[in-house]
Amino acid sequence: MRISPPSPDWPWRTSSVKPQGVTHRSTSTTGGHVLARYSSRHGHIGRRLFQLYAGLALYGASSALLVRSGLGLEPWNVLHQGLSERTGLSMGVVLTILGAAVLLLWIPLRQRPGLGTVSNVLVIGAAMDATLTVVPDAHGLAVRVPLMAAGIVLNGAATGLYIAARFGAGPRDGLMTGLHQRTGVSIRLVRTAIEITVVVTGFVLGGTVGVGTLLYAVAIGPLAQLFLRAFAVPSASDGSTVVATGQPRRAILRP
């Protein structure tokens, strides 16, 4: 059970009455527990921002590795590649344009974008194109298979990095959750329907479907779960110089 405080600044709020069960330890001669909490909070924000942008950049780079392996892409990139083949635009540009279009669908679905949502649209496509310019096409299974494996594993790490940063869902994930909330259909069914649709459409347009697509579908869930735990950011109160030894009367208990 996790205890959430009744107000954002509990128990550090200045008050003439000291909360029961709360002790303070000063670790700074110039600011005490207030300075320590300020430093901790801003340290976590810095880490979260780093994780967000490192994760998004790594996501684009790992997707580019899958492209160069030629053994199959993740579902949405099958569609991006197919559209790229038809339009002559780079995959990164197509990804960015389509991401912005999907984001517009959030309006009728009443989804709220966050910093991570907008950054997802802008960063991943740019990182993909940058990687594609420096990584050549792979020839021979001895090179293509390791490239595919690296792309899948790094994509899982990237997913864990940027999701653990907690700055909002990407446009495509928001579409999935929005449709779930508006229709009542399970998230699993909504996601399956969306991904089958984009894979089939992308394949018809010329996108690459192969063993990499299947392995990605099987491996990405466990990999993302593993890296989410590895990159979890402590809450703002962790490491604070304030120690709560008792339970506040109006605390909210969540499983």
Side-chain angles (χ1 to χ4, degrees), residues 48 52 56 106 112-120 162-171 173-174:
R48 289 172 60 203
L52 171 65
L56 293 175
W106 282 34
R112 294 182 178 180
L115 175 63
T117 310
V118 178
S119 298
N120 185 297
Y162 84 79
I163 290 180
R166 306 192 309 274
F167 278 111
D173 288 332

Side-chain angles (χ1 to χ4, degrees), residues 49-138:
L49 287 170
F50 174 80
Q51 283 196 198
L52 171 65
Y53 290 106
L56 293 175
L58 183 59
Y59 196 100
S62 61
S63 294
L65 296 183
L66 287 171
V67 173
R68 291 304 189 213
S69 75
L71 294 175
L73 304 175
E74 60 267 53
W76 278 95
N77 275 335
V78 175
L79 177 60
H80 298 149
Q81 189 181 52
L83 290 171
S84 175
E85 293 288 336
R86 297 290 180 172
T87 62
L89 299 173
S90 70
M91 278 190 68
V93 170
V94 170
L95 186 152
T96 301
I97 293 173
L98 192 57
V102 171
L103 190 55
L104 290 177
L105 296 176
W106 282 34
I107 298 174
L109 295 174
R110 299 179 181 178
Q111 298 294 293
R112 294 182 178 180
L115 175 63
T117 310
V118 178
S119 298
N120 185 297
V121 174
L122 299 175
V123 175
I124 293 180
M128 175 185 284
D129 277 350
T131 305
L132 289 173
T133 61
V134 298
V135 178
D137 288 325

Side-chain angles (χ1 to χ4, degrees), residues 34-241:
V34 175
L35 178 61
R37 178 174 175 263
Y38 176 87
S39 301
S40 175
R41 173 177 291 181
H42 283 260
H44 290 156
I45 287 292
R47 174 178 167 179
R48 289 172 60 203
L49 287 170
F50 174 80
Q51 283 196 198
L52 171 65
Y53 290 106
L56 293 175
L58 183 59
Y59 196 100
S62 61
S63 294
L65 296 183
L66 287 171
V67 173
R68 291 304 189 213
S69 75
L71 294 175
L73 304 175
E74 60 267 53
W76 278 95
N77 275 335
V78 175
L79 177 60
H80 298 149
Q81 189 181 52
L83 290 171
S84 175
E85 293 288 336
R86 297 290 180 172
T87 62
L89 299 173
S90 70
M91 278 190 68
V93 170
V94 170
L95 186 152
T96 301
I97 293 173
L98 192 57
V102 171
L103 190 55
L104 290 177
L105 296 176
W106 282 34
I107 298 174
L109 295 174
R110 299 179 181 178
Q111 298 294 293
R112 294 182 178 180
L115 175 63
T117 310
V118 178
S119 298
N120 185 297
V121 174
L122 299 175
V123 175
I124 293 180
M128 175 185 284
D129 277 350
T131 305
L132 289 173
T133 61
V134 298
V135 178
D137 288 325
H139 301 284
L141 289 178
V143 177
R144 295 169 69 192
V145 171
L147 206 58
M148 175 194 68
I152 293 173
V153 173
L154 290 176
N155 197 274
T159 301
L161 271 170
Y162 84 79
I163 290 180
R166 306 192 309 274
F167 278 111
R172 296 153 187 84
D173 288 332
L175 174 64
M176 173 187 67
T177 56
L179 287 172
H180 160 67
Q181 292 170 2
R182 298 291 286 177
T183 65
V185 178
S186 70
I187 287 182
R188 178 178 296 182
L189 184 57
V190 170
R191 178 167 187 164
T192 300
I194 291 174
E195 293 194 346
I196 288 176
T197 300
V198 299
V199 166
V200 171
T201 304
F203 180 72
V204 170
L205 292 173
T208 305
V209 176
V211 64
T213 309
L214 178 61
L215 289 177
Y216 182 91
V218 172
I220 193 61
L223 284 171
Q225 185 68 24
L226 172 66
F227 287 111
L228 273 169
R229 292 173 180 161
F231 298 127
V233 179
S235 63
S237 60
D238 289 348
S240 169
T241 54

